[in-house]
Amino acid sequence: MTNSGKRVAWVTGGGSGIGESGAEFLAADGWIVVVSGRRKQELDRVVAKIVAKGGQAEAIALDVSNKDEVNKAAGAIVAKHGRIDLLVNSAGVNVPKRSWEDFDLDGWNKVVDINLNGVLYCMRAVLPIMRKQKDGSIINVASWAGRHVSKMTGPAYTTTKHAVLALTHSFNMDECVNGLRACCLSPGEVATPILKSRPVPPSAAEQAKMLQPEDCGRTIAFVASLPPRVCINEILISPTHNRGFIATPKSND
């Protein structure tokens, strides 16, 4: 930490959903937040909202599946702020065609490139500065599907989220000696825009019973607020009304 006490957080997938809410809660806690995503208009909206509430935020448009763009973004943050204290990997996608019956390799590659390779690219991009600082935290947003195999999420999404969990634990095994720590945040159903990519999107009534983005955003800020001696390796969080535990009509999958 610098003498000024400045804390810099980089949030991917920051233009909507969990990433947006995480950025808001972090900014409210005094973090300088850099939000990244593919849609600049969404990022600008999030930045304006944070600034209007007295927070500090800026935006860098990027595609996390492009490692050159990722490295350039990390370099720009370090060049401007001199450090990166927190990385929140929240960028993620799924595709409508997600069963063994109808999924295709283009859909598989898209999910893997963003949900897994993008996470790895961002972790590698922040690693040099965090090692130099001897301090740094990473929060990887995975999924309930990273712990429990589900037909609903499909093979590509389920596989990538399991891999993110393993990636997080392997990071802690190697980098704990450098004062670095990572948390795998695995939420159950969250009412975010990604639900629109389901073959049959859940109804408004069903979404109201799900986790909301602010539930995950508050959790991200909590993990980030803990002292460097604390590593929360993973968090498995779900709605109380967990549809995975309740028999639901197949049309709701």
Side-chain angles (χ1 to χ4, degrees), residues 130-244:
M130 287 187 173
R131 282 174 173 165
K132 182 179 179 181
Q133 295 164 183
K134 289 290 184 181
D135 184 26
S137 181
I138 296 173
I139 300 174
N140 292 326
V141 179
S143 170
W144 186 267
R147 269 294 182 190
H148 304 281
V149 177
S150 169
K151 290 180 66 176
M152 180 173 63
T153 51
Y157 189 89
T158 302
T159 298
T160 56
K161 295 305 185 179
H162 271 71
V164 168
L165 177 64
L167 193 67
T168 305
H169 283 297
S170 68
F171 180 90
N172 286 334
M173 293 174 73
D174 281 2
E175 296 301 324
C176 63
V177 296
N178 294 315
L180 311 185
R181 56 217 177 272
C183 174
C184 187
L185 174 59
S186 297
E189 289 186 298
V190 187
T192 68
I194 198 173
L195 296 181
K196 296 177 182 178
S197 67
R198 288 188 180 179
V200 179
S203 68
E206 289 167 329
Q207 291 189 45
K209 295 180 180 180
M210 295 178 181
L211 294 173
Q212 301 302 305
E214 57 266 30
D215 302 324
C216 296
R218 186 177 288 108
T219 304
I220 287 170
F222 165 70
V223 173
S225 71
L226 294 170
R229 66 176 178 271
V230 179
C231 177
I232 297 184
N233 294 270
E234 61 177 295
I235 296 176
L236 187 65
I237 181 174
S238 72
T240 302
H241 185 86
N242 191 330
R243 296 201 306 159

Side-chain angles (χ1 to χ4, degrees), residues 94-115:
N94 205 347
V95 289
K97 294 182 178 181
R98 58 179 66 174
S99 71
W100 279 97
E101 181 181 6
D102 64 2
F103 89 90
D104 56 48
L105 288 181
D106 287 342
W108 170 276
N109 290 335
K110 177 181 179 181
V111 174
V112 171
D113 284 344
I114 293 174
N115 291 11

